[in-house]
Amino acid sequence: MKKIKIEDTLSLKNDGKLEIVFIGSGTAFSETLGNNNIIIIKGDTHILVDFGLTAPFALKPVTGLDILDLENILPTHSHSDHIGGLEYLTLKNRYFGQPKGKPRLTMIIPDEYKTVLWDESLKGGLRYNELGKNEGEMTFESYFDYVTPDVTNENGRIKHHINFKGIDLEFFHTNHIPGQAVRTEDAFITYGLLIDGKVFFSGDTKFDKELLDEYASKSDYLFHDCSFFPNPVHADIESLRTLPEELRKKIVLMHYGDDYENHDYSDFHSLAVPGVRYIFD
Ligand SMILES: [Zn+2]
């Protein structure tokens, strides 16, 4: 993995190597690190994974990009640090992008989550901006083109798969919320990703040994959320510390607290840093 600091403006195209850039790397309550949202880039394709409430105003300072440069979005779950900027992104694209010929946003979203995202989060702000085709209301389809990954595993942990314009994505359910859910099957829909068959992105999850056992050997690197204190809905650093050293050295911690300088994380690969291009061979 090569790390290159963005000098001026991040290019959303590269020579074909998988690349990941963090717009922010903090917890939902971080005041200095921004929401833990990333951009995946490979060849001519880019995918924004999550766009939280800090993202509309962090994007330019961190990456140099304009919000209208973004074309494809993959939301992992409905917490505000992951989708809090999505209404802004959607309306900006529709009323500032589309009039200039920019296409609608493309969303990569499993069927099971599409209705949840619209009905429980986006609809309130997006439904009545124009008269839509459907009884005067705007719908999910009014705003987004979308692609639906295939369900690949219906027994045990639910998974979905899609190759989106050259970027291979395996979605897996994580056990993030509620805090009381012991098994992934009892948790609400939240996703992590295996990106291009080699980079693990936990999304938000409790410590999940079974998940890590499955993906450890498949992954060249693992980006894992990390709480510095015991936390009912996130993996904490002491739990991650129970993993074998060989695995810990492949784990880049993300979604961490503002007080990271007061903690020792030297037994892991590193902390994810916003504005750095992580490039994988
Ligand atoms: Zn969350």
Side-chain angles (χ1 to χ4, degrees), residues 73-92:
I73 165 91
L74 182 168
T76 64
H77 66 289
S78 295
H79 279 144
S80 73
D81 54 323
H82 299 267
I83 62 152
L86 194 46
E87 179 184 313
Y88 184 104
L89 173 68
T90 305
L91 293 177
K92 188 98 193 228

Side-chain angles (χ1 to χ4, degrees), residues 28 76-82 176-177 190 203-205 233-234 255:
T76 64
H77 66 289
S78 295
H79 279 144
S80 73
D81 54 323
H82 299 267
H176 174 37
I177 46 173
T190 60
D204 285 5
T205 183
V233 296
H234 290 288
H255 202 292

Side-chain angles (χ1 to χ4, degrees), residues 27-29 50 76-82 113 157 172-192 202-208 211 224-227 231-235 255:
T27 69
F29 305 105
D50 292 331
T76 64
H77 66 289
S78 295
H79 279 144
S80 73
D81 54 323
H82 299 267
Y113 182 42
R157 193 184 299 269
F172 47 83
H173 273 204
T174 62
N175 180 358
H176 174 37
I177 46 173
Q180 291 86 349
V182 175
R183 305 178 315 153
T184 309
E185 295 93 302
D186 302 327
F188 194 66
I189 300 172
T190 60
Y191 299 114
S202 70
D204 285 5
T205 183
K206 295 165 195 161
F207 180 68
D208 187 338
L211 179 71
H224 206 295
D225 75 334
C226 172
S227 171
N231 188 314
V233 296
H234 290 288
H255 202 292

